[in-house]
Amino acid sequence: MENIGVYIFILVAVIVAFLIIKKVTTCLIRSIVLIVLAAVLGYIYWMYLR
């Protein structure tokens, strides 16, 4: 019966870790997309509009 508590704890820890990683990666992906977009717009401005 002791093992059931350990398995439940591991399952909860895995679910919490998955949710945290999901939030962090969506934030990171959003940040990377914004940085790339800003770089592309800066390049277009520098090459064509100055």
Side-chain angles (χ1 to χ4, degrees):
M1 293 304 282
E2 228 176 85
N3 291 341
I4 292 175
V6 173
Y7 289 134
I8 290 173
F9 176 75
I10 291 174
L11 183 65
V12 169
V14 167
I15 291 171
V16 169
F18 175 75
L19 292 174
I20 290 172
I21 290 171
K22 186 177 170 187
K23 276 194 181 277
V24 169
T25 54
T26 55
C27 184
L28 275 175
I29 291 170
R30 203 175 293 144
S31 298
I32 291 171
V33 167
L34 284 174
I35 290 170
V36 169
L37 186 62
V40 168
L41 289 174
Y43 174 78
I44 291 172
Y45 173 77
W46 187 257
M47 294 306 288
Y48 297 110
L49 298 176
R50 66 179 171 109

